[in-house]
Amino acid sequence: MNARTKDAAQLRETARDHLWMHFSRQSTMAPDGPPIIVRGEGHHIWDLDGKRYIDGLAGLFVVNAGHGRRRLAEAAARQAEQLAFFPLWSYAHPAAIELAERLAAEAPGDLNRVFFATGGGEAVETAFKLAKQYFKLTGRPGKHKVISRAVAYHGTPQGALAITGIPGMKQPFEPITPGGFRVPNTNFYRAAEMGAPADDLEAFGRWAADRIEEAIVFEGPDTVAAVFLEPVQNSGGCFPPPPGYFQRVREICDRHDVLLVSDEVICAFGRLGSTFACSTYGYVPDMITCAKGITSGYAPLAATIVSDRIHEPFAHGSTSFMHGYTFGGHPVSAAVALENLDIFDEEGLNERVRENSPLFRAELETLRELPIVGDVRGDGYFFGIELVKDAATRETFDDEESERLLRGHLSPALYEAGLYCRADDRGDPVIQLAPPLTIGPAQFREIAGILRGVLSEAAARL
């Protein structure tokens, strides 16, 4: 009996007995198995029992064009019929060539070279290895360290994990790849706790950027290869950059000959209202890492987009980049990505996000009336709501309280109320929202209404 013929009870039993859930406590799986999602349409998903939910997280910051796009499924089928698979190991195929050209055309500056992978962690791993080899090829072999921000998530492969700034995710796998160093993030809500300017956003941005230069100088510019930054930092709850932050970071990187990597695995492809989020904030990195929304999740794909300057030493003699993935640039995935980007253009999804983002923010800002809501922050269709014990003092929850609040109450209560989103405590407790880019004001109100009810109940339990 296969999954297509199993009834609900059999599916749940099979999941409990055989499926190892990602980032999940195996011991706490419900006796009848995990929630099982069977269908998606637009910005809604349905579970095995037929209940409908708003997808407030676009799957996992992925389904940007929305669920149920027959056009994307048909693009995949056409490509699979013609050429289902061929690797990019010394060979090429039209879909990868055309997608590389399109990404290069939309990337800023001289980012004209595209290296394909299958997921965001692989794209980050690619950028890390490229940075180290680039400096070896250009006569500076000591430049191997990387700098990223506190609580930032950049992936789980060994190299990417060294860049990830979440201690709890590293400890089970230590010793990890050496060379990763951390600087403060741009959580202005917690600026005072970091000893930073707390009443001037631009001054705070200068302070945060200067900590990067401080780390480069402390470690030694001749040892630092790259700085990895998300345009809006995801983990910790949607930290947007203060005005001028990235321009100052770009100056610092140029001054010390350090590469700037814009990790846009979440932020690219419309999440902030542009194809690449670095364009939203007006800076040109040396590399962009991207994944997720590139296909809206209809097939796995990722890319590391590289400047001509970084590519140049690889373009001579017998030099090669000894790195690759069997399924990187998969023909079906590349074909889906091209069709997905056509949908973005035809339906004006980037423009839709730019126009509607202030309305989305305004609905979420009304939740500040609740005593449990400390901060609402983010950009585009990407927002975080930080939860606190005391909004006046900004006192947060201890680990035990956070466990009870998020896993004991909020996660199941939000789901039961019909909203799939994320309750996250990798930093201070937050609710994260990143819905499909197709939603609008009516859905903003519906999401805010569900949050108001569940958070009001949570506040009453404190």
Side-chain angles (χ1 to χ4, degrees):
M1 181 177 294
N2 60 38
R4 288 170 289 183
T5 58
K6 290 181 184 293
D7 64 25
Q10 290 169 325
L11 269 178
R12 292 188 173 103
E13 181 180 1
T14 301
R16 189 181 64 244
D17 292 345
H18 300 292
L19 184 61
W20 196 324
M21 309 289 285
H22 294 205
F23 288 98
S24 301
R25 299 175 184 177
Q26 305 304 303
S27 64
T28 57
M29 185 183 292
D32 59 349
I36 299 175
I37 305 302
V38 298
R39 186 167 72 89
E41 184 69 32
H43 56 272
H44 287 108
I45 53 175
W46 282 260
D47 69 13
L48 192 62
D49 299 315
K51 182 175 178 179
R52 189 180 75 166
Y53 307 83
I54 298 174
D55 183 356
L57 203 64
L60 192 63
F61 315 100
V62 172
V63 192
N64 291 2
H67 296 276
R69 292 272 190 175
R70 179 180 295 274
R71 179 174 168 181
L72 295 181
E74 291 173 345
R78 285 195 303 271
Q79 179 61 54
E81 288 177 352
Q82 183 175 12
L83 180 67
F85 173 76
F86 214 79
L88 297 180
W89 298 45
S90 301
Y91 293 83
H93 55 78
I97 295 168
E98 292 173 19
L99 181 59
E101 179 186 39
R102 181 155 187 176
L103 295 176
E106 299 205 28
D110 69 340
L111 277 75
N112 291 314
R113 309 290 178 159
V114 182
F115 191 101
F116 287 115
T118 61
E122 291 179 355
V124 170
E125 193 87 359
T126 299
F128 189 5
K129 292 172 75 173
L130 262 175
K132 290 196 287 186
Q133 188 175 359
Y134 167 77
F135 283 115
K136 285 181 170 62
L137 292 173
T138 55
R140 291 157 292 176
K143 290 173 79 71
H144 68 283
K145 298 174 183 176
V146 289
I147 292 170
S148 59
R149 296 184 291 203
V151 200
Y153 175 81
H154 293 282
T156 55
Q158 286 287 336
L161 191 58
I163 305 171
T164 290
I166 306 170
M169 294 187 67
K170 301 167 178 288
Q171 290 166 355
F173 312 109
E174 292 176 335
I176 58 174
T177 302
F181 296 87
R182 237 58 60 206
V183 295
N185 56 46
T186 59
N187 184 0
F188 187 54
Y189 184 67
R190 298 291 177 185
E193 297 171 25
M194 292 187 268
D199 57 355
D200 184 330
L201 183 59
E202 290 193 34
F204 170 69
R206 290 193 298 272
W207 175 89
D210 288 346
R211 301 290 72 75
I212 294 174
E213 182 163 38
E214 184 177 78
I216 292 171
V217 171
F218 181 81
E219 292 299 324
D222 57 343
T223 71
V224 179
V227 174
F228 282 73
L229 302 174
E230 295 170 279
V232 173
Q233 182 175 318
N234 168 39
S235 182
C238 300
F239 305 144
Y245 173 80
F246 274 108
Q247 288 69 31
R248 195 170 183 89
V249 172
R250 178 73 270 180
E251 292 170 2
I252 290 166
C253 289
D254 289 343
R255 183 156 54 244
H256 298 289
D257 197 15
V258 171
L259 305 183
L260 175 56
V261 182
S262 189
D263 183 358
E264 305 196 11
V265 169
I266 287 176
C267 293
F269 306 108
R271 184 55 53 196
L272 302 184
S274 56
T275 300
F276 295 111
C278 53
S279 300
T280 298
Y281 296 124
Y283 67 97
V284 179
D286 298 290
M287 290 187 261
I288 296 171
T289 55
C290 57
K292 293 186 183 287
I294 191 172
T295 64
S296 288
Y298 286 72
L301 186 66
T304 303
I305 308 172
V306 181
S307 71
D308 287 337
R309 178 171 73 95
I310 305 306
H311 175 267
E312 197 278 334
F314 293 89
H316 306 286
S318 61
T319 301
S320 64
F321 182 42
M322 300 298 290
H323 175 73
Y325 301 99
T326 299
F327 295 110
H330 191 284
V332 173
S333 297
V336 170
L338 286 164
E339 196 75 18
N340 182 54
L341 294 176
D342 283 345
I343 289 172
F344 268 69
D345 290 346
E346 293 167 19
E347 298 185 10
L349 293 184
N350 285 321
E351 293 81 0
R352 180 183 182 85
V353 170
R354 293 197 296 269
E355 292 170 5
N356 283 332
S357 179
L359 304 178
F360 195 7
R361 180 188 293 274
E363 286 291 341
L364 298 178
E365 289 280 355
T366 66
L367 300 174
R368 288 183 183 270
E369 303 166 358
L370 303 177
I372 197 173
V373 173
D375 194 26
V376 175
R377 54 183 178 254
D379 202 354
Y381 274 23
F382 187 25
F383 288 99
I385 302 167
E386 183 167 335
L387 307 179
V388 293
K389 289 174 68 173
D390 188 318
T393 65
R394 303 189 180 186
E395 180 184 2
T396 191
F397 299 90
D398 62 31
D399 290 346
E400 183 179 342
E401 291 167 334
S402 181
E403 174 80 13
R404 290 201 307 270
L405 174 68
L406 295 186
R407 293 177 183 82
H409 176 66
L410 283 178
S411 289
L414 287 166
Y415 190 71
E416 180 62 27
L419 175 62
Y420 165 73
C421 60
R422 187 182 218 175
D424 189 20
D425 63 351
R426 289 175 293 180
D428 294 314
V430 293
I431 301 293
Q432 287 184 305
L433 297 163
L437 311 185
T438 52
I439 74 167
Q443 291 78 43
F444 302 155
R445 291 190 292 271
E446 188 176 0
I447 288 171
I450 292 173
L451 287 168
R452 179 176 295 277
V454 173
L455 292 176
S456 295
E457 182 182 351
R461 290 172 173 237
L462 295 179

